[in-house]
Amino acid sequence: MIDLYTFATPNGRKVSIALEELGLPYTAKSVDISKGEQFKPEFLAVNPNNKIPAIVDAQGPGGQPITVFESGAILLYLAEKTGKLMPSDLRGKAQVTQWLMFQMGGVGPMFGQLNHFARFHSSKIPYAIDRYTQESKRLLKVLDGQLGKGDYVAGAYSIADIALYPWVAGSQSYFPELFAGLTRVPQWLARVGSRPAVQRGMKVP
């Protein structure tokens, strides 16, 4: 059994989607970041960086428990544990990993900053909103170009698609103007979003 510490955010949903896709038994433990629960000592014992998601796998390497935090690291761990959602050859692994890092280092931070400044900041800062709008558009254009090579981001469906999906789907809801002129990204969203495991994972917690 895996304990998943999570909340209703794109990063949290990456891991619940992966767990659903892999069919691994897990228990979702909600950490309400709107109430500061990520700073409670019991959660800090799991993730000293006070961020969701995190997992505790009772059947880790050698049959011993292991704790893993950072959503990208968790996806890599689960793929390695099961031998699924990641190619076995070095070239294929490199392709999936680089698009996972594209999400971790680009899409997540930039979309997150746009969401913060455009929706939640107490005052509107045009420079910040424009900066993150333009960078989000650029990243989506890169993704649209990559999807011209196939149905999924790195060949077969993988943890790269799982990492990107919650972020891109959320942005389509809140910032539809970012998707003007894109053809493949909306098709990819529909394709990934039609998967039953993705639908289940998006509802956790």
Side-chain angles (χ1 to χ4, degrees):
M1 180 65 69
I2 293 175
D3 287 335
L4 166 62
Y5 295 82
T6 188
F7 197 57
T9 71
N11 283 335
R13 285 170 171 155
K14 293 181 205 175
V15 180
S16 53
I17 289 171
L19 289 166
E20 291 288 343
E21 289 281 12
L22 294 167
L24 292 170
Y26 71 99
T27 299
K29 299 178 179 292
S30 179
V31 180
D32 192 338
I33 60 176
S34 69
K35 297 179 180 178
E37 291 181 358
Q38 71 272 31
F39 298 107
K40 290 185 174 181
E42 53 266 37
F43 182 66
L44 291 175
V46 176
N47 183 2
N49 194 35
N50 59 264
K51 303 288 184 183
I52 62 94
I55 65 167
V56 178
D57 183 0
Q59 292 295 317
Q64 298 300 310
I66 186 174
T67 299
V68 186
F69 61 86
E70 290 295 329
S71 58
I74 296 171
L75 292 181
L76 288 168
Y77 170 77
L78 295 174
E80 185 72 19
K81 176 183 174 75
T82 59
K84 298 177 181 178
L85 298 175
M86 171 71 90
S88 59
D89 64 292
L90 182 58
R91 185 177 299 275
K93 285 183 177 180
Q95 288 293 317
V96 170
T97 303
Q98 70 182 359
W99 287 101
L100 174 63
M101 295 304 119
F102 171 80
Q103 187 281 307
M104 297 293 296
V107 169
M110 295 301 103
F111 286 22
Q113 291 294 338
L114 173 59
N115 197 50
H116 172 75
F117 283 106
R119 297 182 60 225
F120 296 112
H121 197 273
S122 57
S123 60
K124 300 304 179 187
I125 304 174
Y127 171 79
I129 294 173
D130 182 67
R131 171 181 171 81
Y132 294 118
T133 295
Q134 295 308 316
E135 182 61 5
S136 296
K137 285 182 178 179
R138 187 191 72 79
L139 291 165
L140 284 170
K141 186 176 180 180
V142 172
L143 179 59
D144 202 67
Q146 176 65 12
L147 288 167
K149 301 176 182 179
D151 286 345
Y152 299 105
V153 177
Y157 181 70
S158 71
I159 57 172
D161 299 282
I162 291 172
L164 283 159
Y165 178 79
W167 281 101
V168 179
S171 292
Q172 187 184 43
S173 297
Y174 293 116
F175 306 104
E177 66 276 10
L178 297 177
F179 293 77
L182 302 181
T183 56
R184 301 182 188 101
V185 169
Q187 295 169 356
W188 170 82
L189 282 171
R191 189 177 304 121
V192 176
S194 69
R195 298 176 68 91
V198 172
Q199 294 171 5
R200 293 193 301 270
M202 288 291 285
K203 297 176 182 177
V204 178

